[in-house]
Amino acid sequence: MATTAPSVHLHLGHEQRESGSGGSHAHLHPVSQAVQADIPLAGAKEVEEAVARAEAVREAWRCTRPEQRRDILNRLADLLEEHKAELAQMAALDGGTTLMVGERGVETAVGWTRYYAGWCDKLTGDLLSTFDSRGEFSYSVPEPIGIVGIIITWNGPLISLAMKVCAALAAGNCVICKPAEITPFAPELFAQLCKQAGVPDGVLSIFPGTAEAGEAIVRHKKVRKISFTGGPITARKILEACAQEIKPSVMELGGKSASLVFPDCDIQAAAERAVFWTVGCLSGQGCALPTRQLVHADIYDDFVARLQAIIGQFKVGDPMDPTVMVGPVINRAAADRITGMFDRAKADGAAKFLLGGSRAGGALAEGNFIEPTLIVDADPDHEISQVEIFGPAVVVMKFHDEDEAVAIANNSEYGLAAYIQSNDLQRVHRLSERLHAGGVYVNGGFQINPHTPFGGVGISGFGKEGGKAGIDEFLHYKTVTIGVGAPIFPK
């Protein structure tokens, strides 16, 4: 990887700081594992300062003309587009995202930014009653919440920033955002581009920070709502703090999504999608990926053979190499956790491993590389089928009819996404109703289009990102009612 790591700052409004009260984090090169940067960390002190800055400009930003907010976000989208190659390189430096996936991530972020730019001047309330109809005049008014706290995890930080920050700004809120310290480079450039786009000083603060900083954001009384992307363990801690403050939140918490593959689908296309979304996309480190492939018995052997052939074509290596399809996982702890899951499944006889199942060898042996892994005949109740692997692996199970497929798919505490591969329209509609998921995606339908609400049920969380529902998460609707001045006690 030829690109050097950029300097990372704490962005408190427009002020850039090279150090923080939380100390620093040694960021490791995703391939060599050598220290490539010391990342400054915010603590509670910087959170307090950022909130004070946001509070000072909150009313002015609320009263900013919607067209001005729209133009700022459209300029931001332009800047993201202009820096596409650089942002893709930052994603590779952050955590080993391949250049192809990184560039697609930038395109997705641009789309989300433009989408919410478009909402700025289209937010309206409703006329609820008139003097003639109900004897009083009532209407609703959408208003920003105020200051919102946004905490995002390490996989795909740029997309998370576009999904959350842009919607919050479009609604007229100020934002305090804490990205993960282990993927700081893309958020650093995003913060710089927000300033260039014209986001006013104090409206947006972005800084990596300690757990103490995260807790300070969640518990601060002037931070009126929390939007979090991460795992259920951290989410429960945040929810406990929110409960004490009676503070609303949005939780996007991952999944163990099933894809139901029927004989009437385009089998080759379904197999190619399965491999890309579970092995190639972020090396399997994605929340809504179809990591459980449930395949009808009539095509099971054929489908598995196709998966095996396609996976064998996916090159593993340096994410800066444009021919590489699978980069490293995020760190050594993740690699150990993944191989531990593989080892337990093998020891328990819970599945067969047709490909992979261990760390990559040869020149990649010292890095955090996992062999692309194909797991078949998996026990639906075993850990390997129930817990997120979050690595380049696909788990395949057999079913014989729709009822069995739905039972296996819904046998999960998660409920973020479900997938159907079928050209039978009636079947698609039948199953879409029965699958326990926040979204159902058919024959290659994309999970995170900006115009469609995205979010889960169960331990996958609650709340929505995308569509009007996504901006409504950052608004409250005030009711105004005007009476005719009639006396309480008529004469």
Side-chain angles (χ1 to χ4, degrees):
M1 297 169 78
T3 304
T4 57
S7 297
V8 174
H9 305 86
L10 309 181
H11 295 263
L12 280 73
H14 287 179
E15 181 185 355
Q16 295 185 171
R17 297 185 184 176
E18 296 181 352
S19 62
S21 64
S24 64
H25 167 77
H27 189 279
L28 304 182
H29 190 288
V31 175
S32 71
Q33 294 299 290
V35 174
Q36 66 175 347
D38 286 319
I39 309 303
L41 299 178
K45 175 179 178 292
E46 287 78 17
V47 171
E48 188 64 43
E49 291 182 60
V51 172
R53 290 174 185 234
E55 183 65 21
V57 300
R58 176 175 58 83
E59 189 66 9
W61 182 239
R62 181 184 75 83
C63 296
T64 298
R65 287 179 62 82
E67 293 82 4
Q68 185 176 345
R69 290 202 297 268
R70 176 199 66 198
D71 292 346
I72 289 170
L73 288 174
N74 274 325
R75 282 196 295 272
L76 175 59
D78 291 341
L79 289 167
L80 291 171
E81 213 159 30
E82 290 171 15
H83 289 79
K84 177 178 175 179
E86 186 178 357
L87 284 162
Q89 290 174 342
M90 293 304 100
L93 284 171
D94 268 330
T97 300
T98 61
L99 288 178
M100 183 195 72
V101 172
E103 289 180 356
R104 288 191 180 185
V106 179
E107 293 165 3
T108 300
V110 169
W112 279 78
T113 305
R114 291 203 193 283
Y115 178 80
Y116 279 116
W119 267 110
C120 291
D121 59 354
K122 298 175 184 66
L123 297 172
T124 61
D126 292 310
L127 177 63
L128 305 173
S129 66
T130 64
F131 289 117
D132 283 345
S133 63
R134 290 193 171 95
E136 59 186 18
F137 191 84
S138 298
Y139 59 93
S140 62
V141 183
E143 295 186 343
I145 289 170
I147 302 173
V148 298
I150 292 175
I151 300 174
I152 62 172
T153 191
W154 49 265
N155 63 322
L158 181 64
I159 294 176
S160 289
L161 289 167
M163 293 171 79
K164 296 176 182 288
V165 172
C166 294
L169 294 177
N173 296 284
C174 294
V175 174
I176 314 296
C177 179
K178 176 184 171 296
E181 71 278 3
I182 58 177
T183 50
F185 302 129
E188 167 71 21
L189 184 51
F190 180 85
Q192 294 176 8
L193 297 180
C194 285
K195 180 179 177 181
Q196 290 182 37
V199 176
D201 190 12
V203 168
L204 172 63
S205 292
I206 298 179
F207 42 72
T210 60
E212 179 191 35
E215 184 174 6
I217 292 171
V218 172
R219 291 189 178 276
H220 202 292
K221 293 187 181 300
K222 290 184 178 179
V223 176
R224 303 296 187 182
K225 187 167 186 175
I226 299 297
S227 182
F228 172 71
T229 296
I233 294 174
T234 302
R236 290 185 177 99
K237 296 176 182 178
I238 292 174
L239 288 170
E240 288 176 7
C242 286
Q244 292 177 15
E245 300 294 332
I246 314 181
K247 184 177 298 186
S249 63
V250 174
M251 294 281 151
E252 198 278 274
L253 307 179
K256 188 76 173 178
S257 302
S259 177
L260 282 58
V261 185
F262 289 89
D264 62 1
C265 75
D266 182 331
I267 299 174
Q268 181 64 21
E272 290 171 358
R273 287 193 294 266
V275 174
F276 174 75
W277 285 114
T278 59
V279 173
C281 181
L282 298 171
S283 300
Q285 299 170 112
C287 56
L289 306 183
T291 52
R292 292 186 297 155
Q293 293 285 314
L294 314 187
V295 184
H296 193 280
D298 290 351
I299 57 168
Y300 185 84
D301 292 340
D302 181 18
F303 193 77
V304 168
R306 292 172 191 253
L307 293 179
Q308 190 167 4
I310 297 166
I311 290 173
Q313 299 171 18
F314 274 44
K315 181 180 177 180
V316 184
D318 186 333
M320 281 289 189
D321 179 346
T323 67
V324 163
M325 294 291 290
V326 185
V329 295
I330 188 64
N331 54 31
R332 191 167 300 279
D336 290 342
R337 179 188 55 76
I338 293 165
T339 53
M341 289 183 70
F342 292 164
D343 291 344
R344 288 189 294 276
K346 294 172 186 175
D348 295 341
K352 297 175 183 176
F353 285 71
L354 293 189
L355 290 173
S358 61
R359 292 180 188 269
L364 305 177
E366 297 303 314
N368 301 319
F369 294 91
I370 302 294
E371 294 176 332
T373 298
L374 176 58
I375 305 168
V376 302
D377 300 344
D379 179 350
D381 296 316
H382 191 270
E383 172 195 36
I384 204 71
S385 304
Q386 290 290 321
V387 177
E388 288 184 292
I389 298 173
F390 240 58
V394 56
V395 177
V396 189
M397 291 170 267
K398 185 185 298 184
F399 71 86
H400 296 84
D401 56 38
E402 289 184 14
D403 289 342
E404 185 182 13
V406 170
I408 297 172
N410 289 345
N411 179 30
S412 172
E413 291 186 282
Y414 292 98
L416 184 54
Y419 299 78
I420 302 171
Q421 317 300 326
S422 173
N423 288 317
D424 183 332
L425 190 58
Q426 290 190 4
R427 170 185 286 139
V428 166
H429 287 301
R430 272 198 312 271
L431 294 179
S432 293
E433 289 189 51
R434 299 179 66 190
L435 291 167
H436 184 67
V440 179
Y441 307 95
V442 181
N443 296 338
F446 189 45
Q447 312 96 323
I448 51 172
N449 282 310
H451 55 277
T452 56
F454 174 78
V457 295
I459 65 168
S460 290
F462 50 82
K464 293 295 183 181
E465 295 169 327
K468 187 175 186 295
I471 200 166
D472 278 345
E473 292 286 359
F474 296 107
L475 294 166
H476 69 81
Y477 285 80
K478 177 185 288 182
T479 298
V480 179
T481 298
I482 304 168
V484 296
I488 295 293
F489 302 107
K491 294 180 180 180

